[in-house]
Amino acid sequence: MKNLSEKHLKNNEDYYLIGIVSSSKEYKLAWIIEKLLDISLNKEKNEKIDLIDNRTLEISFLISRDQNKYFKLISNKLLNNPFKSHLISSLSNFDYLIQFSKNYFDNSSEDIINTLKSDNLIHFANFVDIKLIKEKYLLYTWNKLIIEQKLLLL
């Protein structure tokens, strides 16, 4: 894993993070979110992040990209991982995380949350204060990987 500079961290706080509680499978939740928010999510290959201690995190996610905007549905539960059960342990009460660029929607923040809560398969949804997350470097690192992949596609 690369070291992240303070400048890099500050520049990457241009997104919102929503925690979701839902017992639905990832594909079912993605379908619900697509219908509710009128977006199209694509399943990507699971992302692997190598940690300093030679351990690897495997993350399942779906993404929607539109020019300089993105929306990601991230499973907070890690796959095949005996040493860590959640991507962001401090948010272990959330099954999924939604990370999206601040310019992705024209709607207000409250409208997005209310829309998500309108489906009974989403038990709870709320914005998470990114500044309070200890492990936010995992979101930055992962976000950087997605940006690098996007640049390779151009």
Side-chain angles (χ1 to χ4, degrees):
M1 180 182 353
K2 296 179 181 175
N3 290 333
L4 300 175
S5 68
E6 190 172 322
K7 178 182 175 186
H8 179 75
L9 294 177
K10 285 181 182 175
N11 289 340
N12 278 300
E13 289 192 10
D14 61 345
Y15 65 86
Y16 290 116
L17 189 66
I18 297 175
I20 299 284
V21 176
S22 176
S23 56
S24 297
K25 298 282 186 190
E26 183 181 58
Y27 66 89
K28 177 73 171 175
L29 183 61
W31 181 80
I32 292 166
I33 290 172
E34 286 178 329
K35 301 301 175 215
L36 291 173
L37 299 178
D38 193 28
I39 63 173
S40 179
L41 292 167
N42 298 306
K43 176 69 178 137
E44 297 280 327
K45 182 180 174 188
N46 292 343
E47 193 66 55
K48 293 185 178 181
I49 299 176
D50 294 322
L51 301 177
I52 294 171
D53 58 5
N54 293 324
R55 294 188 285 185
T56 302
L57 301 179
E58 187 174 351
I59 304 164
S60 179
F61 70 102
L62 292 97
I63 191 164
S64 175
R65 291 184 184 103
D66 183 21
Q67 295 180 20
N68 293 328
K69 302 185 282 187
Y70 69 92
F71 180 103
K72 293 185 281 192
L73 173 62
I74 308 163
S75 177
N76 195 31
K77 295 179 181 176
L78 294 174
L79 305 171
N80 307 319
N81 204 313
F83 68 92
K84 185 174 165 94
S85 61
H86 293 81
L87 174 64
I88 307 296
S89 298
S90 60
L91 300 177
S92 62
N93 52 330
F94 294 117
D95 301 304
Y96 298 94
L97 302 171
I98 295 175
Q99 182 184 28
F100 60 96
S101 51
K102 288 186 177 180
N103 62 346
Y104 195 85
F105 293 106
D106 294 330
N107 308 24
S108 74
S109 306
E110 287 129 22
D111 288 344
I112 295 165
I113 293 297
N114 290 334
T115 301
L116 290 170
K117 288 180 179 179
S118 70
D119 192 285
N120 62 3
L121 292 178
I122 297 176
H123 308 300
F124 183 79
N126 207 354
F127 281 93
V128 174
D129 187 349
I130 301 162
K131 294 174 184 157
L132 300 177
I133 303 171
K134 286 183 184 178
E135 304 137 303
K136 64 183 163 191
Y137 66 91
L138 291 171
L139 294 170
Y140 295 132
T141 303
W142 191 55
N143 205 24
K144 186 174 183 290
L145 291 170
I146 298 298
I147 291 166
E148 288 172 357
Q149 288 175 354
K150 183 178 173 184
L151 291 174
L152 289 174
L153 294 174
L154 296 177

